[in-house]
Amino acid sequence: MQRHSHLPRLARTAYQGGAIVHWTLCMKDRVTGWLDPLFHASFREFLLHACALYEVVCPVYTLMPDHMHMIWMGLASTSDQRIGMRFLRRGLNERLEGIVLAGRQAQLQKQGYDHVLRKEERERGAFEKVAWYIQENPVRAGLVEDAKEWPFTGCMVVGHPGWNVFHERFWDTFWDWYAEHASYGG
């Protein structure tokens, strides 16, 4: 009998309130071929609902051929990223149902990887390095020469569908918005 082990998680409170988490979701067996503009649109729809329901913002995400990266930031004391991520994963797996590639069902691995940013990683310069790492993933993988060319990178800030993570003023605008809207109390 095969037992599935889970990666250890921090205490639930580490994912609540004003937590900032770098999430990585991998495809089971690293299946590729599912990523296209239609899946990207579905991802954005599920992400929008997760952000609104669980009071988080996603200042940057990148969907890669066999995995996804995103940063979530809690906006309120009631924000709960673990529950929000469970909602997102369930929706994405439902969207992937029926997609069989090379004889394998496209679905997410049983558990994603997360990194809760420590205090020093939350400072603007350090934070933007993590965001840059996410944005540059397609360049490092040799998929594009310039990250701006990758069509599956973006952000999700409820109420701002036109924001572009590559716009030269994005980060200044985002940090101003975040200072005004994050009410988690510390």
Side-chain angles (χ1 to χ4, degrees):
M1 177 179 192
Q2 184 179 9
R3 292 183 54 103
H4 295 282
S5 61
H6 290 280
L7 295 171
R9 294 266 187 238
L10 297 174
R12 177 174 211 96
T13 56
Y15 303 89
Q16 296 175 327
I20 300 177
V21 183
H22 175 186
W23 294 94
T24 302
L25 307 179
C26 295
M27 296 300 292
K28 184 177 180 185
D29 300 324
R30 294 294 198 169
V31 167
T32 61
W34 51 271
L35 181 57
D36 61 20
L38 186 57
F39 181 86
H40 185 212
S42 295
F43 170 83
R44 287 186 56 82
E45 181 179 359
F46 285 116
L47 181 60
L48 172 64
H49 287 290
C51 287
L53 288 169
Y54 300 100
E55 300 174 290
V56 298
V57 63
C58 179
V60 64
Y61 69 80
T62 296
L63 307 182
M64 297 291 288
D66 64 355
H67 69 283
M68 323 171 181
H69 290 280
M70 65 197 87
I71 296 177
W72 281 12
M73 303 169 76
L75 295 174
S77 60
T78 53
S79 299
D80 192 322
Q81 293 193 35
R82 283 179 52 183
I83 295 173
M85 187 54 64
R86 192 174 315 135
F87 171 88
L88 179 66
R89 290 174 52 82
R90 184 172 43 247
L92 295 178
N93 274 325
E94 286 175 9
R95 169 64 178 82
L96 291 165
E97 278 181 15
I99 299 176
V100 178
L101 301 157
R104 294 178 291 186
Q105 169 66 49
Q107 64 184 28
L108 295 171
Q109 278 183 343
K110 290 281 184 200
Q111 186 179 4
Y113 171 79
D114 64 73
H115 173 70
V116 178
L117 274 61
R118 297 179 300 275
K119 182 179 179 183
E120 62 274 10
E121 294 172 307
R122 296 166 62 106
E123 294 175 14
R124 187 170 172 167
F127 176 89
E128 289 179 17
K129 285 180 184 176
V130 175
W132 182 85
Y133 168 83
I134 291 171
Q135 291 171 216
E136 290 294 313
N137 221 296
V139 175
R140 285 191 305 279
L143 299 169
V144 292
E145 289 186 26
D146 184 332
K148 294 175 188 170
E149 299 169 11
W150 188 245
F152 308 115
T153 296
C155 65
M156 183 58 66
V157 181
V158 175
H160 299 280
W163 280 11
N164 180 345
V165 72
F166 294 111
H167 188 276
E168 67 183 48
R169 299 261 318 131
F170 172 78
W171 288 109
D172 291 332
T173 303
F174 173 77
W175 287 116
D176 290 345
W177 179 91
Y178 183 71
E180 184 178 328
H181 291 85
S183 63
Y184 57 86

